[in-house]
PDB file of all heavy atoms in Angstrom:
ATOM      1  N   GLN W  57     -80.735 -71.401 -36.578  1.00 95.00           N
ATOM      2  CA  GLN W  57     -79.815 -70.882 -37.571  1.00 95.00           C
ATOM      3  C   GLN W  57     -78.377 -71.190 -37.202  1.00 95.00           C
ATOM      4  O   GLN W  57     -78.003 -71.223 -36.037  1.00 95.00           O
ATOM      5  CB  GLN W  57     -79.988 -69.356 -37.674  1.00 95.00           C
ATOM      6  CG  GLN W  57     -81.340 -68.932 -38.165  1.00 95.00           C
ATOM      7  CD  GLN W  57     -81.457 -67.419 -38.280  1.00 95.00           C
ATOM      8  OE1 GLN W  57     -80.556 -66.692 -37.873  1.00 95.00           O
ATOM      9  NE2 GLN W  57     -82.546 -66.956 -38.838  1.00 95.00           N
ATOM     10  N   GLY W  58     -77.583 -71.367 -38.261  1.00 94.00           N
ATOM     11  CA  GLY W  58     -76.159 -71.533 -38.084  1.00 94.00           C
ATOM     12  C   GLY W  58     -75.419 -70.255 -38.423  1.00 94.00           C
ATOM     13  O   GLY W  58     -75.936 -69.145 -38.220  1.00 94.00           O
ATOM     14  N   GLU W  59     -74.247 -70.389 -38.994  1.00 93.00           N
ATOM     15  CA  GLU W  59     -73.364 -69.252 -39.276  1.00 93.00           C
ATOM     16  C   GLU W  59     -73.812 -68.438 -40.490  1.00 93.00           C
ATOM     17  O   GLU W  59     -73.666 -67.220 -40.528  1.00 93.00           O
ATOM     18  CB  GLU W  59     -71.952 -69.783 -39.502  1.00 93.00           C
ATOM     19  CG  GLU W  59     -70.901 -68.737 -39.775  1.00 93.00           C
ATOM     20  CD  GLU W  59     -69.546 -69.352 -40.110  1.00 93.00           C
ATOM     21  OE1 GLU W  59     -69.396 -70.586 -39.983  1.00 93.00           O
ATOM     22  OE2 GLU W  59     -68.642 -68.599 -40.515  1.00 93.00           O
ATOM     23  N   VAL W  60     -74.370 -69.112 -41.514  1.00 96.00           N
ATOM     24  CA  VAL W  60     -74.704 -68.433 -42.778  1.00 96.00           C
ATOM     25  C   VAL W  60     -76.132 -68.769 -43.199  1.00 96.00           C
ATOM     26  O   VAL W  60     -76.362 -69.391 -44.231  1.00 96.00           O
ATOM     27  CB  VAL W  60     -73.686 -68.791 -43.888  1.00 96.00           C
ATOM     28  CG1 VAL W  60     -72.364 -68.125 -43.637  1.00 96.00           C
ATOM     29  CG2 VAL W  60     -73.524 -70.304 -44.009  1.00 96.00           C
ATOM     30  N   PRO W  61     -77.173 -68.329 -42.472  1.00 97.00           N
ATOM     31  CA  PRO W  61     -78.539 -68.759 -42.752  1.00 97.00           C
ATOM     32  C   PRO W  61     -79.292 -67.939 -43.801  1.00 97.00           C
ATOM     33  O   PRO W  61     -80.344 -68.385 -44.291  1.00 97.00           O
ATOM     34  CB  PRO W  61     -79.211 -68.576 -41.394  1.00 97.00           C
ATOM     35  CG  PRO W  61     -78.495 -67.397 -40.796  1.00 97.00           C
ATOM     36  CD  PRO W  61     -77.055 -67.525 -41.248  1.00 97.00           C
ATOM     37  N   ASN W  62     -78.779 -66.754 -44.149  1.00 96.00           N
ATOM     38  CA  ASN W  62     -79.560 -65.850 -44.999  1.00 96.00           C
ATOM     39  C   ASN W  62     -79.804 -66.447 -46.375  1.00 96.00           C
ATOM     40  O   ASN W  62     -78.890 -66.915 -47.048  1.00 96.00           O
ATOM     41  CB  ASN W  62     -78.851 -64.505 -45.131  1.00 96.00           C
ATOM     42  CG  ASN W  62     -78.843 -63.747 -43.819  1.00 96.00           C
ATOM     43  OD1 ASN W  62     -79.620 -64.049 -42.909  1.00 96.00           O
ATOM     44  ND2 ASN W  62     -77.967 -62.771 -43.699  1.00 96.00           N
ATOM     45  N   GLY W  63     -81.077 -66.406 -46.813  1.00 96.00           N
ATOM     46  CA  GLY W  63     -81.462 -66.904 -48.116  1.00 96.00           C
ATOM     47  C   GLY W  63     -81.907 -68.358 -48.113  1.00 96.00           C
ATOM     48  O   GLY W  63     -82.256 -68.900 -49.170  1.00 96.00           O
ATOM     49  N   TYR W  64     -81.905 -68.977 -46.937  1.00 97.00           N
ATOM     50  CA  TYR W  64     -82.267 -70.391 -46.817  1.00 97.00           C
ATOM     51  C   TYR W  64     -83.339 -70.577 -45.735  1.00 97.00           C
ATOM     52  O   TYR W  64     -83.306 -69.899 -44.714  1.00 97.00           O
ATOM     53  CB  TYR W  64     -81.063 -71.238 -46.422  1.00 97.00           C
ATOM     54  CG  TYR W  64     -79.834 -71.081 -47.276  1.00 97.00           C
ATOM     55  CD1 TYR W  64     -78.833 -70.177 -46.919  1.00 97.00           C
ATOM     56  CD2 TYR W  64     -79.667 -71.831 -48.431  1.00 97.00           C
ATOM     57  CE1 TYR W  64     -77.689 -70.031 -47.696  1.00 97.00           C
ATOM     58  CE2 TYR W  64     -78.529 -71.693 -49.210  1.00 97.00           C
ATOM     59  CZ  TYR W  64     -77.543 -70.784 -48.831  1.00 97.00           C
ATOM     60  OH  TYR W  64     -76.420 -70.648 -49.604  1.00 97.00           O
ATOM     61  N   ASN W  65     -84.234 -71.528 -45.999  1.00 97.00           N
ATOM     62  CA  ASN W  65     -85.215 -71.943 -44.995  1.00 97.00           C
ATOM     63  C   ASN W  65     -85.134 -73.445 -44.790  1.00 97.00           C
ATOM     64  O   ASN W  65     -84.818 -74.185 -45.728  1.00 97.00           O
ATOM     65  CB  ASN W  65     -86.644 -71.608 -45.460  1.00 97.00           C
ATOM     66  CG  ASN W  65     -87.052 -70.212 -45.026  1.00 97.00           C
ATOM     67  OD1 ASN W  65     -86.290 -69.498 -44.395  1.00 97.00           O
ATOM     68  ND2 ASN W  65     -88.275 -69.842 -45.370  1.00 97.00           N
ATOM     69  N   VAL W  66     -85.468 -73.878 -43.573  1.00 97.00           N
ATOM     70  CA  VAL W  66     -85.537 -75.311 -43.295  1.00 97.00           C
ATOM     71  C   VAL W  66     -86.777 -75.592 -42.464  1.00 97.00           C
ATOM     72  O   VAL W  66     -87.352 -74.695 -41.844  1.00 97.00           O
ATOM     73  CB  VAL W  66     -84.304 -75.830 -42.524  1.00 97.00           C
ATOM     74  CG1 VAL W  66     -83.051 -75.788 -43.377  1.00 97.00           C
ATOM     75  CG2 VAL W  66     -84.111 -75.058 -41.229  1.00 97.00           C
ATOM     76  N   SER W  67     -87.163 -76.850 -42.465  1.00 96.00           N
ATOM     77  CA  SER W  67     -88.211 -77.344 -41.580  1.00 96.00           C
ATOM     78  C   SER W  67     -87.887 -78.796 -41.273  1.00 96.00           C
ATOM     79  O   SER W  67     -87.163 -79.452 -42.026  1.00 96.00           O
ATOM     80  CB  SER W  67     -89.592 -77.222 -42.224  1.00 96.00           C
ATOM     81  OG  SER W  67     -89.637 -77.977 -43.417  1.00 96.00           O
ATOM     82  N   ARG W  68     -88.420 -79.308 -40.181  1.00 97.00           N
ATOM     83  CA  ARG W  68     -88.170 -80.706 -39.823  1.00 97.00           C
ATOM     84  C   ARG W  68     -89.468 -81.284 -39.262  1.00 97.00           C
ATOM     85  O   ARG W  68     -89.735 -81.226 -38.086  1.00 97.00           O
ATOM     86  CB  ARG W  68     -87.051 -80.790 -38.776  1.00 97.00           C
ATOM     87  CG  ARG W  68     -86.693 -82.236 -38.402  1.00 97.00           C
ATOM     88  CD  ARG W  68     -85.301 -82.558 -38.810  1.00 97.00           C
ATOM     89  NE  ARG W  68     -84.934 -83.923 -38.427  1.00 97.00           N
ATOM     90  CZ  ARG W  68     -84.163 -84.213 -37.377  1.00 97.00           C
ATOM     91  NH1 ARG W  68     -83.697 -83.232 -36.604  1.00 97.00           N
ATOM     92  NH2 ARG W  68     -83.855 -85.455 -37.114  1.00 97.00           N
ATOM     93  N   SER W  69     -90.253 -81.848 -40.161  1.00 96.00           N
ATOM     94  CA  SER W  69     -91.539 -82.411 -39.742  1.00 96.00           C
ATOM     95  C   SER W  69     -91.401 -83.859 -39.292  1.00 96.00           C
ATOM     96  O   SER W  69     -92.268 -84.368 -38.554  1.00 96.00           O
ATOM     97  CB  SER W  69     -92.564 -82.298 -40.867  1.00 96.00           C
ATOM     98  OG  SER W  69     -92.073 -82.922 -42.035  1.00 96.00           O
ATOM     99  N   THR W  70     -90.359 -84.552 -39.729  1.00 96.00           N
ATOM    100  CA  THR W  70     -90.124 -85.935 -39.307  1.00 96.00           C
ATOM    101  C   THR W  70     -88.669 -86.077 -38.868  1.00 96.00           C
ATOM    102  O   THR W  70     -87.820 -85.248 -39.208  1.00 96.00           O
ATOM    103  CB  THR W  70     -90.383 -86.937 -40.443  1.00 96.00           C
ATOM    104  OG1 THR W  70     -89.390 -86.742 -41.466  1.00 96.00           O
ATOM    105  CG2 THR W  70     -91.777 -86.764 -41.042  1.00 96.00           C
ATOM    106  N   THR W  71     -88.365 -87.144 -38.152  1.00 96.00           N
ATOM    107  CA  THR W  71     -86.981 -87.415 -37.763  1.00 96.00           C
ATOM    108  C   THR W  71     -86.097 -87.651 -38.979  1.00 96.00           C
ATOM    109  O   THR W  71     -84.939 -87.288 -39.003  1.00 96.00           O
ATOM    110  CB  THR W  71     -86.919 -88.643 -36.840  1.00 96.00           C
ATOM    111  OG1 THR W  71     -87.684 -88.384 -35.668  1.00 96.00           O
ATOM    112  CG2 THR W  71     -85.494 -88.976 -36.437  1.00 96.00           C
ATOM    113  N   GLU W  72     -86.666 -88.262 -40.024  1.00 96.00           N
ATOM    114  CA  GLU W  72     -85.868 -88.713 -41.165  1.00 96.00           C
ATOM    115  C   GLU W  72     -85.485 -87.612 -42.140  1.00 96.00           C
ATOM    116  O   GLU W  72     -84.446 -87.684 -42.775  1.00 96.00           O
ATOM    117  CB  GLU W  72     -86.640 -89.797 -41.932  1.00 96.00           C
ATOM    118  CG  GLU W  72     -86.866 -91.091 -41.182  1.00 96.00           C
ATOM    119  CD  GLU W  72     -87.988 -90.995 -40.165  1.00 96.00           C
ATOM    120  OE1 GLU W  72     -88.838 -90.079 -40.285  1.00 96.00           O
ATOM    121  OE2 GLU W  72     -88.028 -91.831 -39.239  1.00 96.00           O
ATOM    122  N   ASP W  73     -86.326 -86.607 -42.322  1.00 97.00           N
ATOM    123  CA  ASP W  73     -86.143 -85.661 -43.424  1.00 97.00           C
ATOM    124  C   ASP W  73     -85.817 -84.255 -42.939  1.00 97.00           C
ATOM    125  O   ASP W  73     -86.388 -83.767 -41.959  1.00 97.00           O
ATOM    126  CB  ASP W  73     -87.419 -85.620 -44.272  1.00 97.00           C
ATOM    127  CG  ASP W  73     -87.753 -86.971 -44.860  1.00 97.00           C
ATOM    128  OD1 ASP W  73     -86.911 -87.490 -45.622  1.00 97.00           O
ATOM    129  OD2 ASP W  73     -88.828 -87.505 -44.549  1.00 97.00           O
ATOM    130  N   PHE W  74     -84.951 -83.586 -43.700  1.00 98.00           N
ATOM    131  CA  PHE W  74     -84.536 -82.220 -43.335  1.00 98.00           C
ATOM    132  C   PHE W  74     -84.250 -81.450 -44.623  1.00 98.00           C
ATOM    133  O   PHE W  74     -83.110 -81.265 -45.019  1.00 98.00           O
ATOM    134  CB  PHE W  74     -83.308 -82.273 -42.433  1.00 98.00           C
ATOM    135  CG  PHE W  74     -82.942 -80.968 -41.786  1.00 98.00           C
ATOM    136  CD1 PHE W  74     -83.902 -80.146 -41.226  1.00 98.00           C
ATOM    137  CD2 PHE W  74     -81.609 -80.560 -41.695  1.00 98.00           C
ATOM    138  CE1 PHE W  74     -83.572 -78.957 -40.602  1.00 98.00           C
ATOM    139  CE2 PHE W  74     -81.258 -79.363 -41.076  1.00 98.00           C
ATOM    140  CZ  PHE W  74     -82.238 -78.575 -40.530  1.00 98.00           C
ATOM    141  N   PRO W  75     -85.285 -80.972 -45.319  1.00 98.00           N
ATOM    142  CA  PRO W  75     -85.082 -80.271 -46.589  1.00 98.00           C
ATOM    143  C   PRO W  75     -84.570 -78.844 -46.390  1.00 98.00           C
ATOM    144  O   PRO W  75     -84.902 -78.185 -45.402  1.00 98.00           O
ATOM    145  CB  PRO W  75     -86.474 -80.273 -47.215  1.00 98.00           C
ATOM    146  CG  PRO W  75     -87.416 -80.376 -46.048  1.00 98.00           C
ATOM    147  CD  PRO W  75     -86.713 -81.180 -45.016  1.00 98.00           C
ATOM    148  N   LEU W  76     -83.789 -78.391 -47.356  1.00 98.00           N
ATOM    149  CA  LEU W  76     -83.251 -77.025 -47.363  1.00 98.00           C
ATOM    150  C   LEU W  76     -83.843 -76.287 -48.555  1.00 98.00           C
ATOM    151  O   LEU W  76     -83.718 -76.738 -49.692  1.00 98.00           O
ATOM    152  CB  LEU W  76     -81.724 -77.056 -47.492  1.00 98.00           C
ATOM    153  CG  LEU W  76     -81.018 -75.696 -47.562  1.00 98.00           C
ATOM    154  CD1 LEU W  76     -81.041 -75.013 -46.203  1.00 98.00           C
ATOM    155  CD2 LEU W  76     -79.572 -75.863 -48.046  1.00 98.00           C
ATOM    156  N   ARG W  77     -84.483 -75.156 -48.291  1.00 98.00           N
ATOM    157  CA  ARG W  77     -85.143 -74.397 -49.354  1.00 98.00           C
ATOM    158  C   ARG W  77     -84.382 -73.125 -49.674  1.00 98.00           C
ATOM    159  O   ARG W  77     -84.052 -72.362 -48.763  1.00 98.00           O
ATOM    160  CB  ARG W  77     -86.575 -74.052 -48.942  1.00 98.00           C
ATOM    161  CG  ARG W  77     -87.467 -75.255 -48.742  1.00 98.00           C
ATOM    162  CD  ARG W  77     -88.903 -74.882 -48.364  1.00 98.00           C
ATOM    163  NE  ARG W  77     -89.664 -76.064 -48.014  1.00 98.00           N
ATOM    164  CZ  ARG W  77     -89.674 -76.632 -46.806  1.00 98.00           C
ATOM    165  NH1 ARG W  77     -88.958 -76.084 -45.826  1.00 98.00           N
ATOM    166  NH2 ARG W  77     -90.391 -77.714 -46.579  1.00 98.00           N
ATOM    167  N   LEU W  78     -84.117 -72.925 -50.955  1.00 96.00           N
ATOM    168  CA  LEU W  78     -83.576 -71.648 -51.426  1.00 96.00           C
ATOM    169  C   LEU W  78     -84.760 -70.847 -51.953  1.00 96.00           C
ATOM    170  O   LEU W  78     -85.453 -71.274 -52.874  1.00 96.00           O
ATOM    171  CB  LEU W  78     -82.554 -71.866 -52.548  1.00 96.00           C
ATOM    172  CG  LEU W  78     -81.155 -72.297 -52.130  1.00 96.00           C
ATOM    173  CD1 LEU W  78     -81.132 -73.709 -51.592  1.00 96.00           C
ATOM    174  CD2 LEU W  78     -80.192 -72.130 -53.291  1.00 96.00           C
ATOM    175  N   LEU W  79     -84.992 -69.695 -51.365  1.00 92.00           N
ATOM    176  CA  LEU W  79     -86.204 -68.951 -51.655  1.00 92.00           C
ATOM    177  C   LEU W  79     -86.116 -68.198 -52.981  1.00 92.00           C
ATOM    178  O   LEU W  79     -87.068 -68.171 -53.760  1.00 92.00           O
ATOM    179  CB  LEU W  79     -86.472 -67.975 -50.511  1.00 92.00           C
ATOM    180  CG  LEU W  79     -86.460 -68.629 -49.121  1.00 92.00           C
ATOM    181  CD1 LEU W  79     -86.569 -67.577 -48.033  1.00 92.00           C
ATOM    182  CD2 LEU W  79     -87.585 -69.643 -49.009  1.00 92.00           C
ATOM    183  N   SER W  80     -84.985 -67.570 -53.238  1.00 96.00           N
ATOM    184  CA  SER W  80     -84.754 -66.808 -54.459  1.00 96.00           C
ATOM    185  C   SER W  80     -83.249 -66.879 -54.724  1.00 96.00           C
ATOM    186  O   SER W  80     -82.474 -66.118 -54.156  1.00 96.00           O
ATOM    187  CB  SER W  80     -85.210 -65.363 -54.289  1.00 96.00           C
ATOM    188  OG  SER W  80     -84.916 -64.607 -55.451  1.00 96.00           O
ATOM    189  N   ALA W  81     -82.862 -67.823 -55.575  1.00 96.00           N
ATOM    190  CA  ALA W  81     -81.439 -68.146 -55.728  1.00 96.00           C
ATOM    191  C   ALA W  81     -80.637 -66.940 -56.218  1.00 96.00           C
ATOM    192  O   ALA W  81     -81.090 -66.167 -57.076  1.00 96.00           O
ATOM    193  CB  ALA W  81     -81.279 -69.309 -56.692  1.00 96.00           C
ATOM    194  N   ALA W  82     -79.415 -66.828 -55.681  1.00 97.00           N
ATOM    195  CA  ALA W  82     -78.477 -65.776 -56.063  1.00 97.00           C
ATOM    196  C   ALA W  82     -77.141 -66.419 -56.420  1.00 97.00           C
ATOM    197  O   ALA W  82     -76.820 -67.500 -55.901  1.00 97.00           O
ATOM    198  CB  ALA W  82     -78.290 -64.797 -54.905  1.00 97.00           C
TER     199      ALA W  82
END
Side-chain angles (χ1 to χ4, degrees):
Chain W
Q57 296 181 353
E59 181 185 352
V60 288
N62 292 342
Y64 307 94
N65 271 0
V66 292
S67 60
R68 183 115 178 257
S69 56
T70 67
T71 300
E72 294 78 20
D73 300 300
F74 191 44
L76 178 72
R77 297 181 188 84
L78 281 70
L79 308 173
S80 177

